[in-house]
Amino acid sequence: MIESIPPFAYVLLAAFAVAVLPRLPGHLVAAASTAAVGVQALLLENGTFIDTRFLGFDVVFLNVDDPARLVAVAVSILATAAVVYAYETEATPVQTAFAMSYVASTVGAVFAGDWLTLLFFWELMAVTSTLLVWHYGGEAVRAGYRYALYHGTGGTILLAAVVVHFVEVGSFRYDATVGIAEAAVPLAAIGIGINCGFIFLHSWLPDTYPRPHVAASVFLSVFTTKIAAYTMYRAFPEGAMWLAYLGGAMAVYGAFFALLQYDPRRLLSYHIQAQVGYILAGIGLGTEVAIAGGLAHLFNNILYKALLFMAVGVVVYRTGEENIKNLGGLWNVMPLAFLAYLLGAVSITAVPGTNGFVSKGMILDEAHHIHNLEFGIEGFAYGDALWWLLLLGAVGTFMSFIKLGYYMFFHGDNTAEPADATPGQTVAMLTVGGFCLLFGLMPGLLFELLPFTDLLVEELHPYSTGHLTEGIVLLVVGFVGFFSLKGPLARIAWLPDVDRVVFPAGFYLGRWLTWGVTELWAAVDRVVMATAGASMRVGADPGRYAYRTAERVPGVDAAELPEGREEGTLRLRASAGTSVFLLTFALLVGLTALVFL
């Protein structure tokens, strides 16, 4: 029976139930539906699928394999905790309904078995997540508009990639080893890369996620970017070194800008980019262990990133303060929030004993072991440069979370005594934190969910002496680095990111394009009305406008004109050609502008 029900269907029904039922029963239904996704994913065997006809094409709405199961289990754990957290953080039923529709479209994308189905749910994710942002109002409305523009653009480019893929391959079905068609690679990379937060395409991340309701940020913080990374795996199942190096650069870039932030959710948003960088590095390296490590890091990141947004959200919810310099000394009055933050922080910084330590170690190992291509500089190996980038990102990550914890919970004296997390918030956070520890202390449970399970169990030893030593050294360097550079980092906190240029440029470009299109159509309207007026006048008195003098119209003999018409004007004949040309030109320019808009 469960094999015939795609999981997105009952999650979508739960979204409607949340909107119409009383608040408590609605949230219970929502939590039950998200929990069922993980149960179903674990029960279904690899190769289970549901295919049908959609838009005239063969599509697969349910396709079960190891990567899909892995992501579905993570989505299920987090979404269930996030529903409980939303209920306890006074999220309205409408907001939770939008969040559940977002989860439904996410689940649909996870279990899609072909590019057309994926694209359908990809666009639904953009719509539902935008509604979730907009629902909060205020500053979230304009940020949500920019968010929608980014994701609409990315979806359009991905659509073009899928069309090219279909033309070249003749099918939308996934190929387990080939991925996207070669001709579609540039389009797919950019279209998916916008949602991944590629450098210079990432501005929507720190712009959007700090602005909606704190419970909405928990949902938003994990699904769009992680499904994009998962889709990147579907597009490049054998890896691509350009992707690995881009991931390494993202790890450094995101960690660096996170260090400059004092808005806690903006800081966490930059670390979404950094952590996706590690995932892409693993996928891009292309070895079995590296791909498994990238997918494991995707799984783990869904858990600890949302946990951090929950913990920070509790602080914002209780204090109303969104500048960490105005906080401090909260550890003793908000111990539960501090414990949740600590669990998330040690996981994302890969402290031994946590899930982040296991997956990040897999990626770092593979980056360090690849030496099969050199840049022409003796002794400078291909993998070494990526390894150093990832190490630098790891140090920056540790420094960032020392900073965030220091300013929120220890810096200065606490001048207020806000209430701690509610029981429901605590249960949601500690449940997710418990999974972070479970998969860190018992990595075999994580390996069982990954592809290449047998290989991982035989070859990987996460708690080897080398791994432990590397982890401890990174922590010490990060700790010393933060307190040594705390002053200089504070002095360069003004350093702008690309959004300082991109957003004003986009605003004025949009204004000019709107003005240009409006004026163009006004010109078209004037030409059309003038031509119509001339036509009406000709129809009313054809003789008056049918002739001009021989001197003004070459080729017309005045002797052939009827008497009394020599002084008449042939407005239609003299101007019709020009009018038609201008009208045609204006229409073509207008249509071109609309296409590019």
Side-chain angles (χ1 to χ4, degrees):
M1 178 63 181
I2 62 172
E3 297 178 357
S4 62
I5 304 175
F8 76 86
Y10 53 78
V11 178
L12 187 60
L13 288 175
F16 286 106
V18 172
V20 299
L21 291 176
R23 193 164 180 274
L24 178 58
H27 281 76
L28 288 174
V29 170
S33 71
T34 54
V37 171
V39 174
Q40 185 176 3
L42 292 171
L43 292 177
L44 293 177
E45 297 181 356
N46 281 359
T48 303
F49 68 94
I50 299 174
D51 59 349
T52 185
R53 298 281 293 178
F54 180 63
L55 300 177
F57 297 96
D58 292 323
V59 296
V60 181
F61 280 122
L62 176 63
N63 179 63
V64 181
D65 59 9
D66 287 330
R69 179 183 293 106
L70 174 80
V71 179
V73 169
V75 168
S76 173
I77 293 171
L78 187 276
T80 305
V83 169
V84 176
Y85 183 88
Y87 178 81
E88 286 289 303
T89 318
E90 299 181 358
T92 65
V94 173
Q95 177 181 306
T96 304
F98 284 145
M100 289 299 295
S101 64
Y102 180 35
V103 175
S105 53
T106 299
V107 172
V110 170
F111 283 110
D114 64 277
W115 289 105
L116 184 60
T117 303
L118 172 75
L119 186 65
F120 176 75
F121 286 108
W122 183 278
E123 297 290 23
L124 279 181
M125 286 177 63
V127 173
T128 53
S129 56
T130 299
L131 292 174
L132 182 58
V133 174
W134 276 343
H135 178 264
Y136 194 61
E139 293 182 351
V141 174
R142 179 166 287 187
Y145 177 71
R146 291 189 289 264
Y147 175 91
L149 286 177
Y150 267 98
H151 292 293
T153 302
T156 302
I157 296 172
L158 181 58
L159 171 61
V162 170
V163 170
V164 171
H165 174 83
F166 181 79
V167 170
E168 185 165 318
V169 177
S171 172
F172 289 116
R173 297 288 184 99
Y174 289 154
D175 189 309
T177 58
V178 177
I180 199 78
E182 185 175 354
V185 165
L187 291 170
I190 297 172
I192 302 170
I194 290 176
N195 280 24
C196 283
F198 278 3
I199 297 174
F200 304 135
L201 301 177
H202 69 280
S203 297
W204 59 272
L205 263 170
D207 176 52
T208 306
Y209 289 172
R211 302 184 190 275
H213 189 279
V214 292
S217 290
V218 174
F219 288 95
L220 291 164
S221 66
V222 291
F223 294 141
T224 294
T225 49
K226 306 315 174 294
I227 297 307
Y230 168 76
T231 304
M232 198 68 81
Y233 164 73
R234 294 296 189 188
F236 303 98
E238 294 187 319
M241 287 308 299
W242 63 265
L243 183 62
Y245 267 89
L246 183 55
M250 289 169 62
V252 175
Y253 190 98
F256 172 74
F257 274 97
L259 277 168
L260 306 183
Q261 308 307 310
Y262 288 93
D263 180 323
R265 288 191 287 173
R266 187 172 170 87
L267 184 153
L268 292 178
S269 298
Y270 272 109
H271 267 294
I272 293 175
Q273 181 191 33
Q275 294 301 304
V276 170
Y278 282 94
I279 298 168
L280 297 183
I283 294 170
L285 283 168
T287 67
E288 291 180 339
V289 173
I291 291 173
L295 292 175
H297 207 63
L298 188 160
F299 178 94
N300 293 333
N301 193 255
I302 288 175
L303 300 178
Y304 59 63
K305 179 59 67 177
L307 173 58
L308 287 164
F309 267 91
M310 286 182 186
V312 166
V314 169
V315 174
V316 174
Y317 172 71
R318 289 303 196 187
T319 66
E321 182 58 62
E322 299 202 46
N323 186 329
I324 58 176
K325 290 192 291 186
N326 298 331
L327 295 170
L330 295 178
W331 71 272
N332 59 344
V333 293
M334 301 184 72
L336 295 174
F338 173 63
L339 176 60
Y341 172 79
L342 188 61
L343 288 172
V346 296
S347 297
I348 197 172
T349 55
V351 172
T354 64
N355 56 353
F357 175 76
V358 175
S359 55
K360 189 175 287 187
M362 294 167 68
I363 298 168
L364 286 170
D365 267 2
E366 287 303 289
H368 193 47
H369 292 159
I370 292 179
H371 303 293
N372 61 327
L373 183 61
E374 297 187 358
F375 283 122
I377 303 174
E378 186 175 355
F380 186 74
Y382 196 39
D384 283 346
L386 177 60
W387 183 66
W388 282 108
L389 284 173
L390 296 176
L391 284 180
L392 187 58
V395 172
T397 298
F398 192 74
M399 291 172 64
S400 300
F401 286 96
I402 293 178
K403 171 183 177 175
L404 184 55
Y406 171 74
Y407 277 103
M408 279 202 309
F409 295 106
F410 295 101
H411 169 71
D413 296 322
N414 177 42
T415 58
E417 293 191 3
D420 202 357
T422 68
Q425 290 171 333
T426 303
V427 168
M429 293 188 296
L430 295 186
T431 298
V432 177
F435 277 109
C436 291
L437 293 177
L438 176 66
F439 291 116
L441 296 172
M442 303 179 68
L445 295 176
L446 178 59
F447 295 161
E448 288 296 323
L449 292 172
L450 295 170
F452 321 119
T453 298
D454 294 338
L455 174 69
L456 299 178
V457 172
E458 292 177 3
E459 292 194 5
L460 293 186
H461 305 284
Y463 290 97
S464 66
T465 302
H467 282 162
L468 290 171
T469 302
E470 182 181 73
I472 293 171
V473 169
L474 288 175
L475 298 182
V476 171
V477 172
F479 189 84
V480 172
F482 170 71
F483 285 102
S484 300
L485 299 175
K486 184 162 67 74
L489 287 171
R491 287 192 290 273
I492 63 170
W494 57 268
L495 194 67
D497 197 2
V498 294
D499 56 354
R500 299 280 183 91
V501 175
V502 171
F503 290 165
F507 174 79
Y508 287 109
L509 179 61
R511 173 182 286 184
W512 293 336
L513 286 175
T514 302
W515 177 85
V517 170
T518 302
E519 289 302 310
L520 177 62
W521 283 110
V524 170
D525 181 69
R526 289 192 293 269
V527 172
V528 169
M529 295 306 295
T531 303
S535 300
M536 292 175 65
R537 289 192 293 274
V538 170
D541 187 1
R544 179 180 179 187
Y545 295 98
Y547 302 96
R548 300 184 82 183
T549 61
E551 294 80 8
R552 297 179 63 185
V553 182
V556 176
D557 188 353
E560 297 177 0
L561 298 177
E563 190 174 340
R565 294 295 185 182
E566 289 84 355
E567 302 301 324
T569 58
L570 179 54
R571 296 187 181 180
L572 186 61
R573 182 171 173 181
S575 63
T578 302
S579 298
V580 171
F581 171 77
L582 290 174
L583 175 61
T584 304
F585 178 76
L587 287 171
L588 289 174
V589 173
L591 289 173
T592 303
L594 286 177
V595 168
F596 283 101
L597 281 174

